[in-house]
Amino acid sequence: MEKIKKILSFLWYFIILFLFMFLILVFIVESLPKEQANSSFASFMIFGISLILIYISYKIAHDKVYGSSITASKKDYNTKVNKDDIKNFECVKNAINMMVDKCKETKEEEIINNINKCVSSAKQPDKVIKKALYDYIQESLNDGLLDENEECIIASISKNYNIDLKDNSDLYNAKILYSIIVKHEIPNIELRGNVPVILGNNEVILYLKENVSLIKEVTRTKYVGGTDGFSIRIAKGLYYRKGAFKGERVKVSSKEVVDNGMFIISSKNLFFIGESEKKKIPIKSIITSEPFENGITIQKNGNAKPLTFYGIDSWFAHNLIINLPKI
């Protein structure tokens, strides 16, 4: 029944589109002089244009009803699966889902063999596997965590089919949060590059972001209601000047960007390394964490003023700050 509905929808779109374009063609022909319209060359051109209109109508109607291709769900994943490989794609997805909750118990060869069977008849097997893997990654990250079984499946497929996932920060972050929130342990990770901070024993870097703005609440004093004074003429060439006064002193607070630098969260501390500002804040001394889009505001214990950091993954940073003290 569903197939019949799609066929009828396709025919409806095709006929409407073709008639619309054909009417435009008739209008153009009617506007031509009779001598040109009746020439053999004009007839040949009309026939050629009609064929083109039929193809365009078919293509638009087909894509409207059936879709031209399946695209990856994440913007960065531009992998597309050809419409001829859709069945192979669904087969690979089913093969992956069969491994859920038992990846470590199943031999890696079994997973790969099942996938190879699915793509044996595919025109573009590499794209089919990539698309299925990317979709699985997105589904796994719906809760923001990556458990050991999900990690096992992703690692097995990416390793055997040479799919590079090193630049996928979502996977990295989800793996860290799973270790901290669920397993209650610091993940064993290695951060690349030079880190300009001295770490303590068993302290590891969990998050690093450059070009982050440090925003502070700055208090300045100004005077309200003051005057520079004024002069009163008493006689010719003689003036009396009434003295100036500053007025009432008022303190005004505002939030300002005071520095830009590197923002780091380790397993024990939060660091900010800027040109003029250098900060090291123990995670356990942070009493509030308020995330917002691309930023976070923290409050230390005591009478310290709030600090705001802008230009970071606020969701990930907030989860690190509130969950690390629980380990």
Side-chain angles (χ1 to χ4, degrees):
M1 191 67 184
E2 185 66 26
K3 190 174 182 180
I4 295 174
K5 286 183 179 179
K6 285 192 174 183
I7 292 173
L8 292 175
S9 297
F10 167 76
L11 291 173
W12 169 257
Y13 281 115
F14 174 77
I15 293 170
I16 294 298
L17 287 166
F18 179 74
L19 287 176
F20 175 74
M21 289 189 236
F22 187 75
L23 287 173
I24 294 175
L25 178 61
V26 170
F27 176 78
I28 294 172
V29 172
E30 290 294 327
S31 63
L32 293 174
K34 289 185 178 180
E35 295 179 357
Q36 294 182 7
N38 295 327
S39 65
S40 58
F41 177 75
S43 299
F44 177 77
M45 289 295 295
I46 292 170
F47 176 74
I49 293 173
S50 298
L51 292 178
I52 294 173
L53 292 180
I54 291 173
Y55 173 76
I56 293 173
S57 301
Y58 168 81
K59 183 66 176 173
I60 294 174
H62 185 277
D63 291 351
K64 182 74 175 176
V65 176
Y66 298 100
S68 57
S69 62
I70 300 177
T71 56
S73 54
K74 187 175 181 181
K75 290 181 180 179
D76 293 338
Y77 295 156
N78 295 320
T79 299
K80 293 183 179 180
V81 174
N82 190 285
K83 60 180 180 294
D84 296 327
D85 291 338
I86 291 177
K87 289 184 178 179
N88 305 88
F89 166 72
E90 295 295 340
C91 179
V92 174
K93 287 192 70 173
N94 291 334
I96 293 174
N97 290 331
M98 286 174 62
M99 297 300 106
V100 174
D101 298 329
K102 58 178 181 179
C103 176
K104 289 196 170 185
E105 301 172 3
T106 307
K107 291 183 179 179
E108 189 174 288
E109 291 80 5
E110 184 178 337
I111 302 174
I112 303 307
N113 287 337
N114 290 337
I115 293 175
N116 287 338
K117 289 178 183 177
C118 291
V119 298
S120 59
S121 61
K123 292 184 177 180
Q124 297 177 315
D126 291 343
K127 289 186 177 181
V128 170
I129 296 169
K130 280 186 178 181
K131 172 65 172 63
L133 176 61
Y134 292 157
D135 277 8
Y136 179 75
I137 289 173
Q138 294 307 301
E139 292 168 7
S140 301
L141 295 178
N142 283 338
D143 58 357
L145 305 176
L146 189 70
D147 64 35
E148 293 176 341
N149 189 71
E150 292 167 339
E151 183 184 351
C152 171
I153 293 173
I154 293 169
S156 297
I157 298 173
S158 61
K159 181 182 72 174
N160 280 276
Y161 296 102
N162 297 316
I163 302 173
D164 188 4
L165 299 174
K166 292 178 181 178
D167 295 330
N168 192 312
S169 60
D170 291 341
L171 279 177
Y172 175 84
N173 295 349
K175 180 180 177 181
I176 289 176
L177 290 180
Y178 177 80
S179 181
I180 293 171
I181 296 173
V182 180
K183 299 174 69 177
H184 301 289
E185 63 182 32
I186 303 298
N188 183 19
I189 59 174
E190 180 181 354
L191 191 69
R192 300 175 183 176
N194 296 322
V195 181
V197 295
I198 299 174
L199 300 175
N201 293 331
N202 301 319
E203 184 176 10
V204 295
I205 301 295
L206 302 174
Y207 180 60
L208 184 151
K209 185 70 168 62
E210 298 184 14
N211 300 319
V212 175
S213 298
L214 171 61
I215 302 172
K216 281 184 176 182
E217 186 176 317
V218 179
T219 302
R220 290 187 171 86
T221 301
K222 70 176 186 178
Y223 293 88
V224 179
T227 177
D228 293 331
F230 56 93
S231 299
I232 301 174
R233 183 178 180 183
I234 299 175
K236 186 177 181 180
L238 182 62
Y239 292 85
Y240 168 72
R241 181 170 181 81
K242 197 169 181 67
F245 65 94
K246 290 185 177 180
E248 183 181 359
R249 189 170 69 174
V250 177
K251 290 184 177 181
V252 179
S253 297
S254 62
K255 291 185 177 181
E256 299 179 6
V257 176
V258 296
D259 205 352
N260 287 283
M262 184 179 291
F263 177 86
I264 300 170
I265 296 180
S266 75
S267 53
K268 298 180 179 179
N269 297 287
L270 185 154
F271 299 91
F272 179 81
I273 311 298
E275 293 184 7
S276 58
E277 298 274 350
K278 307 282 191 298
K279 294 190 175 296
K280 177 182 178 181
I281 305 169
I283 296 293
K284 291 185 177 181
S285 71
I286 299 174
I287 57 174
T288 63
S289 171
E290 298 178 13
F292 57 93
E293 186 175 2
N294 298 324
I296 193 168
T297 299
I298 63 168
Q299 174 71 58
K300 292 166 50 181
N301 53 21
N303 297 321
K305 292 183 178 180
L307 299 174
T308 298
F309 301 94
Y310 183 77
I312 64 172
D313 185 338
S314 55
W315 183 86
F316 180 57
H318 172 71
N319 274 280
L320 288 177
I321 291 170
I322 64 174
N323 286 293
L324 280 170
K326 300 176 184 177
I327 297 178

